[in-house]
Amino acid sequence: MRALTGLAALLAAGSAAAQPPTVPPGMQWLYGSGEGGATGIQAYHAFRDYVVAAARHRPRNSVVLADGATLAAPRFVPCGRRPLAVVLDVDETALQNLGYEYDDATHPGRPYDQERWNAWERSGANQVLPIPGAVTALGAIRRAGVTVIFNSNRLAAHAETNEAALNGAGLGPARHGSTLWLQGDAAPGSAKDPRRAAISQRYCVIAMAGDQLGDFSDLFNARDLAVPERRRAATGGRIAALWGNGWFILANPVYGTGLRGTIDDVFPADRRWPASAPDARH
Amino acid sequence: MRALTGLAALLAAGSAAAQPPTVPPGMQWLYGSGEGGATGIQAYHAFRDYVVAAARHRPRNSVVLADGATLAAPRFVPCGRRPLAVVLDVDETALQNLGYEYDDATHPGRPYDQERWNAWERSGANQVLPIPGAVTALGAIRRAGVTVIFNSNRLAAHAETNEAALNGAGLGPARHGSTLWLQGDAAPGSAKDPRRAAISQRYCVIAMAGDQLGDFSDLFNARDLAVPERRRAATGGRIAALWGNGWFILANPVYGTGLRGTIDDVFPADRRWPASAPDARH
């Protein structure tokens, strides 16, 4: 009824050193499965339909949180008469980083190395593919008169090769300084709020897309936000209503800030099984 | 810029026997992260909006493939004047199996055991939660006059406890023989097409939801469909247009038929990196 779990398969493979590397289950799902591909298409269909409809009625407010807003009491930047835009993340939102993840999958156990990622930004522009559904959706959005802007934590120092990755995959035009914002623009560091604020001075942002909560607001990356609180913040209150309704999330179980949490963080104490006397079941 | 990959974390944890069990990254993402929760809400918002709109204009055809249809040339069951319904899978589509996955996460390396899953069906009804977004969406769908029908590979022999899991989570009414179809109904085995055909004799199925491609058509489970072909079948041709448009997929990187494939299956040969002379890069 259910297949061998990914964990069991992984550990079984890990103990057989002569075998070729096993693909981690998250990569199998995201890059290899019909299910993973379908989630991309579904998210981009929803994104396209929402944006094309919103462009017709010109919303009063953008979907970028205003300065001083909180997750419990979100307020949004007013649009004024600025032209319409959407803001997207790049990695695992618009691009599948197949080359980089291939290298990772074939070197199991190797720790993350920022220099290797930097080398990927500089030399991997041709080893990517678009997320399924992205190219046609972004085309339809542009035809509706809406500017497509990428906001990525790739480095401004690699602007040329980062543009090439997007444009080569058919996702452009991506031009640094107008439709491509990178780490180093507006402010140093990986926070994306300063770039969202700068983009919001020029555009009315009617929708955003990303695979990490930080692609929507840096408030989700507050250091004191424990794993269960962060999930509640994203799935409860007034934030919940935004998913598929201005904010569009792409599934990424391969990497990112969502991939953490202990047993106690992930499994509520009142939802554990066997509930009692586990030995009596056999 | 990117966190330690799940695989590296997993292998590091596996070699430190005194540590408490590490939660597999797919479970962290699906059950613990705001990102995973948001994908559920987004999918259910799209499902609800589609169904409420479709119920108004009464489509001529259902979204269930007709007998003799192929993935390359899909044809659909005509609706006639039958009442409207939606058909959903249960596990990781409507229910989060938190208790079962907690047990799995705390026993790393243990192989899958069908008897343990059967025990879970019989005794785990209280150790579940609904997928975020499911309860309110199914309520809105029922208020629009559309019957909600579950089609699961849980066993008909456990009908009572399987009903209790759904009804206790607020997802019901689920009643075996009318709104809950289980393995053993209509035909033996895990194929869901016979149950979809039986449901289609009573209802016009205007939308389906699932986390596995088999929740939409058994054609995706053909034995001769290699991993890359299966992905192409789900993301290309006329099938691609169905995602978010009658067929609704829920992300599940924890288990299922999508979690397979070798390096060669998952990573296209022309999308590998470093592209050549890897030693020269250092």
Side-chain angles (χ1 to χ4, degrees):
Chain A
M1 190 170 311
R2 288 164 48 109
L4 181 66
T5 66
L7 178 61
L10 197 58
L11 294 177
S15 62
Q19 300 294 318
T22 302
V23 183
M27 293 189 196
Q28 290 176 319
W29 183 82
L30 185 61
Y31 303 121
S33 78
E35 285 86 350
T39 63
I41 293 175
Q42 178 169 292
Y44 270 103
H45 278 166
F47 187 59
R48 175 201 65 191
D49 290 350
Y50 177 89
V51 169
V52 169
R56 286 198 202 103
H57 68 70
R58 258 209 81 88
R60 166 183 285 194
N61 286 324
S62 101
V63 297
V64 174
L65 291 182
D67 201 30
T70 64
L71 297 175
R75 290 181 303 105
F76 299 92
V77 177
C79 275
R81 300 175 62 84
R82 291 187 285 278
L84 304 182
V86 294
V87 173
L88 281 82
D89 173 52
V90 170
D91 296 306
E92 273 56 46
T93 295
L95 284 181
Q96 301 180 76
N97 282 293
L98 289 165
Y100 180 84
E101 300 299 343
Y102 163 80
D103 187 50
D104 238 30
T106 51
H107 294 85
R110 190 177 65 177
Y112 178 71
D113 175 354
Q114 183 64 46
E115 277 311 306
R116 189 167 56 245
W117 177 263
N118 291 347
W120 166 246
E121 287 192 20
R122 290 191 300 266
S123 67
N126 293 328
Q127 278 75 51
V128 298
L129 282 177
I131 297 283
V135 170
T136 53
L138 296 187
I141 287 169
R142 291 187 181 102
R143 284 193 301 277
V146 178
T147 301
V148 174
I149 297 175
F150 298 96
N151 181 7
S152 169
N153 275 335
R154 288 179 176 229
L155 298 179
H158 306 146
E160 195 177 339
T161 49
N162 288 331
E163 283 179 357
L166 286 160
N167 293 325
L171 293 158
R175 289 204 192 85
H176 187 219
S178 61
T179 52
L180 175 61
W181 293 67
L182 297 164
Q183 188 167 179
D185 296 338
S190 62
K192 291 186 167 183
D193 280 348
R195 282 172 254 151
R196 278 186 282 264
I199 294 164
S200 296
Q201 292 181 342
R202 305 185 195 177
Y203 291 96
C204 166
V205 178
I206 57 175
M208 296 195 285
D211 65 312
Q212 309 287 328
L213 294 182
D215 294 326
F216 305 94
S217 169
D218 290 331
L219 293 171
F220 292 109
N221 292 331
R223 279 178 194 277
D224 59 350
L225 205 58
V227 168
E229 290 174 319
R230 186 171 175 276
R231 180 159 169 117
R232 276 193 293 273
T235 59
R238 290 179 55 200
I239 297 297
L242 292 166
W243 301 114
N245 188 28
W247 291 8
F248 294 82
I249 186 115
L250 279 289
N252 180 6
V254 173
Y255 64 85
T257 47
L259 269 62
R260 59 190 168 103
T262 63
I263 293 280
D264 283 346
D265 290 330
V266 173
F267 297 100
D270 59 353
R271 292 295 184 277
R272 295 180 184 183
W273 180 85
S276 61
D279 292 338
R281 290 179 43 245
H282 296 288
Chain B
M1 190 172 310
R2 288 165 46 110
L4 180 68
T5 66
L7 178 61
L10 196 60
L11 294 178
S15 62
Q19 300 293 319
T22 303
V23 184
M27 293 189 197
Q28 291 176 318
W29 184 83
L30 185 61
Y31 303 121
S33 78
E35 286 85 350
T39 62
I41 293 175
Q42 177 170 292
Y44 270 102
H45 278 165
F47 186 58
R48 175 200 66 192
D49 291 349
Y50 177 90
V51 169
V52 169
R56 287 199 202 101
H57 68 69
R58 257 210 83 86
R60 167 183 284 194
N61 286 324
S62 101
V63 297
V64 173
L65 291 182
D67 200 32
T70 64
L71 298 175
R75 289 181 303 107
F76 299 92
V77 176
C79 276
R81 300 176 61 83
R82 291 186 286 277
L84 303 182
V86 295
V87 173
L88 283 81
D89 175 50
V90 171
D91 296 305
E92 273 57 46
T93 295
L95 286 180
Q96 302 181 74
N97 283 293
L98 290 165
Y100 180 84
E101 300 298 344
Y102 163 80
D103 187 51
D104 238 32
T106 52
H107 295 85
R110 190 176 64 176
Y112 177 70
D113 175 354
Q114 184 64 45
E115 277 311 306
R116 190 167 56 244
W117 176 262
N118 291 346
W120 165 247
E121 287 193 20
R122 290 191 300 265
S123 67
N126 294 328
Q127 278 75 51
V128 297
L129 282 177
I131 297 282
V135 170
T136 52
L138 296 187
I141 287 169
R142 290 188 181 102
R143 285 194 299 278
V146 178
T147 302
V148 174
I149 297 175
F150 297 97
N151 181 9
S152 169
N153 276 335
R154 289 180 176 228
L155 297 179
H158 306 147
E160 196 176 339
T161 50
N162 288 331
E163 284 179 357
L166 286 161
N167 292 324
L171 294 159
R175 288 201 193 88
H176 186 219
S178 61
T179 52
L180 176 60
W181 292 67
L182 297 164
Q183 188 167 179
D185 296 339
S190 62
K192 291 186 167 182
D193 280 347
R195 282 171 254 152
R196 279 186 281 264
I199 294 165
S200 296
Q201 292 182 341
R202 303 186 196 177
Y203 291 96
C204 166
V205 179
I206 59 176
M208 296 194 287
D211 65 311
Q212 308 288 327
L213 294 182
D215 295 327
F216 305 94
S217 168
D218 290 330
L219 293 171
F220 292 110
N221 291 332
R223 279 180 194 277
D224 58 350
L225 205 58
V227 168
E229 289 174 319
R230 186 171 174 275
R231 180 159 169 118
R232 275 194 293 274
T235 60
R238 289 179 55 199
I239 297 297
L242 292 167
W243 301 115
N245 188 28
W247 290 9
F248 293 82
I249 186 119
L250 279 290
N252 179 6
V254 173
Y255 64 84
T257 46
L259 269 62
R260 61 191 167 102
T262 63
I263 293 280
D264 283 346
D265 290 329
V266 173
F267 297 100
D270 60 353
R271 292 294 184 276
R272 296 181 183 181
W273 179 86
S276 60
D279 291 338
R281 290 178 42 246
H282 296 287

